[in-house]
Amino acid sequence: MMIRRKKIYDGKAKTLYEGPEKDTLIQHFKDDATAFNAEKHAIIDGKGVLNQRICEYIFQQLEAIGIRTHFIRSLNMREQLIHKVEIIPVEVVVRNMAAGSLVKRLGLNKGDTLSETLVEYFYKNDTLGDPLISEDHITVLGWADEEEIEDMRALALRVNDFLRGLFANANIHLVDFKLEFGRLWENDTVEIVLADEISPDNCRLWDKETNDSLDKDRFRYDTGDMLEAYREVANRLGLMTQSGRDDIAGPVLVK
C-alpha cells in the first residue's frame, strides 16, 4: 500500500518529503536535468537512479573516513532517508582546474591546473543567479559565523582530497564540484554536516586520457549523451553491470 507523505521542498533535481522518523526527510532523486538556472530543462529517464546510487556510495565512503553527512540509508533506487538539517544558504565550490565560471570571470585557460585548490562561496539564491560572495558577506549577513565557515572550508578540502583519489583510481580528473552544508541539531549540540548530494550533477569530471566530459556539461553544452556519461562514472566506480538492454533498466545497480 502506497504511503503518501507531505512534500517539504521541490527543487530542480530533487524533492524532499517528510520522513518516517522524527527529524528525518526522504530525498527523492528526479530525472529532471537543468542548466543555466533552469533556463534549459529536460527529462532524462534514469538519471535520478544513477545519481542516487553514486551519491549513496560517495556519502558512505565519506562517513567511513569520519566526514559526517545527512545521509542515513537508501530506501530504494531513487530515495534516501536523510537527517533533517538547517541548510546554510551558501554553496561551497572547490576547484582543482580552471573551468566553467572561473574561466569566464578571470580569463583563464580551460583545463589549466591550479597551483593550489581554490575554494569559492556563492549565495544560494536562484532568483539572483547564485552570485559569488566573500566570507565577509556570509558573516555580515548572518548566514554563518566564522567558526562555521572554517568548518565548511575544512570539510570541503577533506572531501576534495578523498574524491580526487577516488576518481583518479577511476581514471577521472576531478575538475571542480559544489557542496552544500547544514546544521544538524542533536539534543543541545549542533554540528556542520555535508548535505544535498555529490554526483555528476554537481561535479565536473573529465576522462584523464581524452578530457571528455563525464558530467552535466554534456547537457549544458550539447556535447554528448548525458546518461551515457553518468553510466560510465558509475561503471568506473564499480557500481553497475551491463545487462545488455538499451534503456536505463539495462544496467543492474549493485546494492
Side-chain angles (χ1 to χ4, degrees):
M1 182 176 181
M2 182 177 294
I3 300 175
R4 300 184 66 86
R5 298 196 180 276
K6 180 181 178 182
K7 184 183 294 185
I8 305 298
Y9 170 79
D10 193 19
K12 290 178 285 189
K14 294 180 294 297
T15 302
L16 297 179
Y17 298 92
E18 64 178 2
E21 305 162 19
K22 182 182 178 182
D23 295 326
T24 66
L25 297 171
I26 293 173
Q27 180 166 255
H28 175 92
F29 288 72
K30 304 191 313 190
D31 285 338
D32 296 65
T34 64
F36 311 118
N37 202 18
E39 291 181 9
K40 184 175 184 179
H41 176 265
I43 303 296
I44 310 295
D45 290 340
K47 168 182 166 290
V49 171
L50 289 166
N51 275 352
Q52 191 287 132
R53 183 64 183 103
I54 293 169
C55 178
E56 173 194 29
Y57 174 74
I58 290 175
F59 275 13
Q60 287 175 332
Q61 298 301 308
L62 292 174
E63 291 274 0
I65 62 170
I67 296 176
R68 191 86 184 271
T69 77
H70 72 172
F71 177 82
I72 300 174
R73 64 180 181 272
S74 290
L75 299 174
N76 52 58
M77 295 178 74
R78 285 187 181 271
E79 294 179 328
Q80 299 175 352
L81 183 67
I82 61 173
H83 292 288
K84 184 178 181 179
V85 300
E86 178 188 350
I87 292 293
I88 296 172
V90 175
E91 296 179 347
V92 181
V93 174
V94 182
R95 302 184 185 275
N96 299 304
M97 301 169 67
S101 66
L102 186 66
V103 170
K104 296 177 182 178
R105 281 186 278 119
L106 302 180
L108 303 180
N109 295 316
K110 180 181 177 181
D112 282 354
T113 299
L114 303 176
S115 60
E116 295 182 22
T117 299
L118 176 65
V119 178
E120 295 183 318
Y121 305 99
F122 295 80
Y123 176 37
K124 182 177 167 62
N125 187 306
D126 288 341
T127 303
L128 299 177
D130 301 328
L132 178 68
I133 56 176
S134 68
E135 292 186 8
D136 282 350
H137 286 105
I138 299 172
T139 55
V140 169
L141 296 173
W143 297 325
D145 60 30
E146 292 182 0
E147 183 177 352
E148 290 174 325
I149 295 172
E150 182 54 37
D151 285 346
M152 290 191 294
R153 179 181 173 85
L155 286 169
L157 290 173
R158 286 186 64 196
V159 171
N160 183 57
D161 287 343
F162 174 79
L163 289 183
R164 288 182 79 175
L166 179 74
F167 285 118
N169 287 335
N171 206 33
I172 295 173
H173 284 301
L174 177 63
V175 178
D176 57 38
F177 60 99
K178 173 184 72 69
L179 298 177
E180 294 184 23
F181 294 91
R183 299 180 183 94
L184 176 60
W185 297 87
E186 293 179 320
N187 299 320
D188 295 328
T189 63
V190 60
E191 182 180 2
I192 299 298
V193 302
L194 184 61
D196 192 44
E197 69 175 299
I198 297 179
S199 74
D201 261 14
N202 57 3
C203 296
R204 191 169 271 118
L205 305 169
W206 294 352
D207 180 86
K208 276 194 168 186
E209 302 297 329
T210 65
N211 280 339
D212 286 345
S213 172
L214 298 174
D215 56 68
K216 196 166 75 169
D217 273 355
R218 286 198 179 190
F219 174 73
R220 286 189 183 99
Y221 305 115
D222 298 315
T223 57
D225 187 323
M226 177 184 179
L227 197 64
E228 178 186 59
Y230 285 31
R231 282 173 169 162
E232 180 66 19
V233 171
N235 185 53
R236 293 194 193 186
L237 292 176
L239 305 180
M240 57 191 289
T241 58
Q242 296 293 335
S243 72
R245 292 179 60 184
D246 294 329
D247 60 8
I248 186 57
V252 178
L253 300 185
V254 180
K255 282 293 185 184

